[in-house]
Amino acid sequence: MRILLVASAFNSLTQRIHTELRDRGHRVGVELALGDDLLRARVAQFEPDLILAPMLTTAIPEDIWSEHTVLIVHPGPKGDRGPSSLDWAIGEGAAEWGVTVLQAVAEMDAGPIWASEPFAVGPHGKSQLYRNEVSDAAVRAVLLAVERFADGRFTPEPLDYDRPDVRGRLRPYHSQQYRRIDWSADDTATVLRKLRAADSQPGVLDELFGREFFVHGGHNEDRLRGYPGTIVATRDGAICRATIDGAVWLPQLRPRRTPGGPVTFKRPAADALGPDLLAGVPEVGVTPFEAASRDTWSELRYREHGEVGYLEFAFAGGAMSTGQCRRLLAAYRQACERPVDVLVLGPDRDFFSNGIHLNVIEAADDPAEESWHNINAMNDLVEAILTTTDKLVIAAVAGNAAAGGVMLALAADEVWCRESAVLNPHYRLMGLHGSEYWTYTLPRRVGAEQADRLTRETMPVGARAAGRLGLVDRVVSGGPVEFWGRVRGEAEALAAAPELADRLVAKKQRRAADEAAKPLAAYRDYELAQMRQNFYGEHEPYHRLRRNFVHKVRPQATPTHLLA
């Protein structure tokens, strides 16, 4: 079928549904909701059999939904209505929620129901839940609805609040009045629930040192304590704030925009506050090994099961600043010193990596110079993985990856990818040539022709398609828990296999042969020469594109690479 996706942004869920539908042979177009007339023109040009809205914050014009079947993906169970469904679910501690695919009608979220799928709500932030459980349920519901539409015999179910399975209701916008934290009265569980319900947008409006900030993210702290509301520690850019019965870590802050002032954006909390305000607040570090056995915030954790080491990393939004890259490199080198033959790299359940940290770069006094430091720190990390010849290194891609984050995974010997992950192995949308040794790792996996296509077309690649291309080695089904269960079982089987010693010998020989044919330094020098021009050259688009991305500037029309 010809299916047109209409979305307010080409976000993670829209990309996921795009890859799933294309994988099943549908002709899929994309139109961003940037104006009714633009949408009408696109519908007339594309002539869709079905219009699908995976993520939409505005209404579809009546003349479109009255002439075409338009299905809306709503992140709530049957009967749920309103713009803050997940916020209410998390804020009220729901154990189960759902995704419903319903037909567009005049009244928002009130159309007949084509499919509905439940999912469990765990102790995670809204954005993590959205990219995992919500995304998986949405794909199941969308594929069922598309199948029913194609069959032509299904009659959608009218919304009827008298039905026992219709548990939702109309809810108002989850404004800051519901999110406000009272540090003198709210216990840690309440604080965390409010923070999780607002992550990553809009954040919780709060006051620190007489200034207003939106707080993004929240994690429990098991040991540190202090007077409620005070900042008791910092760690790797995050701040720890005491509650009445414990403390929570706050990784990111965004200053509240003043009337007429510039648009603000998320930054590491300690950077947003600055050293003067945090004078006297201790930096309380934790090693990756210690963090693995504690209930505290850490971007890095290291644990061992049998003959396998697991280095977990989790960076907000998948972005990796210069400092984060260097800390991960130090942890990697420490892991390489451990007496294990197999080393698994990857986060517990969310983004693998999205490459350099554009927000930190945007906030730097010299963004070009910080970009240069950041890409070199990424390269140092990738080079360390590529030159590890005494261990089998596995990249466990539990969530989405893009740009340099994909190339970070490709540095490993094997890439194991959860079936719901979406990969964007390209840089051009940010005006960059790219580095991280991609001119070495990408062609050796998929061939020169496919490498050129992937970087030139700049479209997302689903996990199954990535497996067929050779971009990843294994595609693992199930949610994050099932994924890691499979990863641990298969990694430990590899570590115990008698042929592992021969594989490591062959790996060392292959690296030596590749180095003799063309040194890694040559790839790095070539890539960095292009990147230096991107960062420092006149009339380069990178700085404008980065600024637009960080400040969330809406395009005037749907980008041409999305037009099918």
Side-chain angles (χ1 to χ4, degrees), residues 274-496:
D276 292 343
L277 292 178
L278 294 174
V281 177
E283 174 81 4
V284 180
V286 63
T287 69
F289 189 84
E290 293 169 341
S293 60
R294 289 184 52 192
D295 185 11
T296 186
W297 178 82
S298 178
E299 293 174 320
L300 304 172
R301 284 178 161 77
Y302 179 79
R303 66 187 86 236
E304 291 177 0
H305 295 281
E307 299 300 314
V308 182
Y310 298 87
L311 178 54
E312 298 174 8
F313 50 88
F315 301 114
M320 297 170 63
S321 67
T322 302
Q324 289 169 320
C325 291
R326 290 171 177 168
R327 289 193 290 272
L328 180 53
L329 174 58
Y332 179 79
R333 286 173 171 161
Q334 291 172 356
C336 285
E337 295 174 358
R338 298 291 301 166
V340 296
D341 292 326
V342 177
L343 185 57
V344 180
L345 311 176
D348 181 42
R349 56 177 277 114
D350 205 11
F351 284 119
F352 185 83
S353 170
N354 285 326
I356 60 177
H357 202 311
L358 300 178
N359 283 36
V360 170
I361 291 170
E362 180 68 16
D365 292 336
D366 187 339
E369 192 72 5
E370 179 56 34
S371 300
W372 183 251
H373 291 316
N374 203 163
I375 198 62
N376 274 280
M378 282 289 296
N379 281 353
D380 291 343
L381 174 61
V382 172
E383 181 184 16
I385 299 171
L386 287 171
T387 55
T388 299
T389 57
D390 61 342
K391 300 183 190 302
L392 188 70
V393 182
I394 298 166
V397 182
N400 299 346
V406 176
M407 308 315 163
L408 174 63
L410 298 190
D413 301 301
E414 294 193 13
V415 180
W416 299 355
C417 188
R418 191 157 77 91
E419 67 174 354
S420 62
V422 175
L423 309 180
N424 278 279
H426 51 79
Y427 302 82
R428 292 188 181 181
L429 296 181
M430 201 50 60
L432 296 173
H433 171 272
S435 194
E436 293 101 358
Y437 297 89
W438 79 264
T439 54
Y440 170 60
T441 57
L442 187 59
R444 74 172 179 170
R445 274 192 163 269
V446 303
E449 183 178 342
Q450 286 288 2
D452 176 70
R453 183 185 67 82
L454 289 170
T455 55
R456 176 172 37 82
E457 291 184 357
T458 62
M459 291 299 289
V461 181
R464 285 184 293 272
R468 291 192 295 270
L469 287 170
L471 196 61
V472 305
D473 300 286
R474 302 189 190 188
V475 177
V476 181
S477 60
V481 173
E482 293 81 6
F483 172 77
W484 274 104
R486 286 276 304 277
V487 167
R488 291 190 182 99
E490 295 183 21
E492 288 163 30
L494 279 177

Side-chain angles (χ1 to χ4, degrees), residues 85-96:
S85 179
L86 288 177
D87 309 61
W88 287 110
I90 297 170
E92 295 183 348
E96 183 181 278

